[in-house]
Amino acid sequence: MKKTYGIGLVVLLLLTVGLGTAAAQGKSPVVTQTSFARIDTNGDGIITVAEYEAYWKGRFRDIDADKDGKIMAAEFEASAKRQFSTLDADKDNALVAQEFVAYYCGPDAKAPKKAKKKAMKKIDADKNGKIGKDECVMFWMARYRDADADKDGRVTMDEFLAAAKKQFQEMDMNGDGVIAVQEFDYYYAAQDAKTKAKQ
């Protein structure tokens, strides 16, 4: 059972993205909803690995529209479309890096102007049990780059759905076309927990 945190959902930057792209459009995207606030359940401004995992486990119930305890491809795609709409703060039908980063890492997070040479595939890179702002930004920037198939610094709905389809396939570890809750939890588990599960 192999899985890295690079989007399969989902699952990101060329030389200029994010604020640079938004500035070229004459405005910066205003993010009014963020998953960061929902993940940080105690409101201390720090996301722990435990909070991160708990948030994504809760997302299973949100995606499982018919509440039958499994996620079908159609449910996953419908959820991805809703997610895209939420992420698209300026409603221009494309995501820039700043929208992505602000949503997942908080409105004060800034998308870097240049991509780091090595993409971050683990959200808690230093394994200290907390997800620092830099760790969060670089992790989600890696996912953004993966989704930006044509590398133009913007993620369209089609690109986002293609990334979601790839993520679905990665989650569906037994290849039966359905994501069971165990597969979903395993996908979002901390890397150390996965290592122990394999032993």
Side-chain angles (χ1 to χ4, degrees):
M1 291 201 241
K2 177 185 166 190
K3 160 74 193 60
T4 64
Y5 274 107
I7 232 182
L9 161 201
V10 282
V11 243
L12 302 184
L13 241 196
L14 278 166
L15 295 177
T16 32
V17 291
L19 290 176
T21 303
Q25 297 168 346
K27 58 183 177 178
S28 293
V30 177
V31 178
T32 56
Q33 301 179 54
T34 70
S35 70
F36 182 91
R38 291 194 292 275
I39 296 171
D40 180 23
T41 53
N42 64 3
D44 65 354
I46 298 169
I47 292 178
T48 64
V49 168
E51 287 174 321
Y52 177 84
E53 290 180 3
Y55 170 80
W56 287 107
K57 285 181 180 182
R59 287 283 295 135
F60 184 93
R61 292 186 295 275
D62 297 335
I63 299 169
D64 179 21
D66 61 8
K67 308 305 177 193
D68 66 349
K70 54 193 175 187
I71 296 174
M72 309 300 290
E75 290 174 315
F76 200 80
E77 181 177 316
S79 175
K81 287 179 179 178
R82 291 191 301 271
Q83 189 76 353
F84 182 93
S85 179
T86 301
L87 283 161
D88 184 18
D90 60 9
K91 305 305 176 191
D92 66 347
N93 298 312
L95 304 178
V96 294
Q98 183 58 30
E99 288 172 314
F100 220 74
V101 165
Y103 181 77
Y104 286 110
C105 304
D108 60 333
K110 302 296 181 191
K113 298 291 183 184
K114 293 184 179 180
K116 295 250 177 168
K117 290 183 180 178
K118 188 175 181 181
M120 186 177 286
K121 297 296 183 182
K122 297 178 186 177
I123 194 151
D124 182 23
D126 60 11
K127 298 181 180 178
N128 70 348
K130 296 178 181 178
I131 300 167
K133 190 72 74 178
D134 288 344
E135 288 176 315
C136 184
V137 168
M138 296 318 300
F139 173 74
W140 286 105
M141 284 301 297
R143 288 184 162 207
Y144 182 85
R145 276 197 303 274
D146 287 346
D148 182 16
D150 62 7
K151 307 305 177 194
D152 67 348
R154 292 163 62 82
V155 174
T156 64
M157 174 70 87
D158 286 345
E159 288 174 319
F160 194 76
L161 292 179
K165 183 177 180 180
K166 183 179 176 187
Q167 185 182 27
F168 183 92
Q169 292 168 344
E170 289 182 2
M171 286 187 180
D172 180 20
M173 291 180 287
N174 64 3
D176 66 352
V178 174
I179 298 173
V181 66
Q182 296 88 349
E183 291 172 315
F184 192 88
D185 288 352
Y186 182 83
Y187 183 89
Y188 284 110
Q191 209 64 32
D192 289 346
K194 291 180 181 181
T195 301
K196 289 175 185 174
K198 292 178 187 176
Q199 295 174 344

